[in-house]
Amino acid sequence: MTFTYPAVFTPHEDGKGYHAFFPDLECCEADGPDLEDAIENARDAACNWITVEMEEFDSDLPFSTHVEDIKLEEGQLVKMISVRIKLLPDND
């Protein structure tokens, strides 16, 4: 399955790298020394968050917020992050 969520990227104050968070995925955050690495780290963080949520909590995943509904502060940008997770049948 493929899941897509918006991530908000904020440049670090020292100008070196970015911090990312997902408005829809509670406590799902990542950092990177540049935007490309921050995007990849955000993708990994989202993949881990979704996998844990599905495996341990068996809950419904949150809906994805529309990009135009996200209020950004100066310097922030939004990127849609897609993750593909292969669902395996239970081996119990």
Side-chain angles (χ1 to χ4, degrees):
M1 293 185 80
T2 301
F3 302 91
T4 304
Y5 285 97
V8 177
F9 292 85
T10 306
H12 290 158
E13 288 186 17
D14 63 5
K16 298 178 182 176
Y18 288 82
H19 177 76
F21 72 92
F22 291 85
D24 303 311
L25 309 179
E26 187 176 347
C27 298
C28 185
E29 301 182 14
D31 283 285
D34 55 40
L35 185 57
E36 184 178 329
D37 286 333
I39 290 170
E40 190 58 37
N41 294 341
R43 183 175 286 112
D44 290 343
C47 184
N48 291 336
W49 191 98
I50 292 167
T51 300
V52 168
E53 194 71 16
M54 291 173 67
E55 289 177 354
E56 293 185 10
F57 300 107
D58 196 32
S59 67
D60 293 329
L61 294 174
F63 289 106
S64 178
T65 300
H66 293 281
V67 172
E68 56 272 0
D69 293 334
I70 298 173
K71 293 185 170 99
L72 298 176
E73 296 179 14
E74 187 175 334
Q76 290 182 324
L77 59 118
V78 175
K79 297 280 187 184
M80 295 302 291
I81 304 296
S82 294
V83 296
R84 177 173 265 166
I85 297 175
K86 185 174 181 177
L87 302 177
L88 299 174
D90 256 349
N91 292 328
D92 292 346

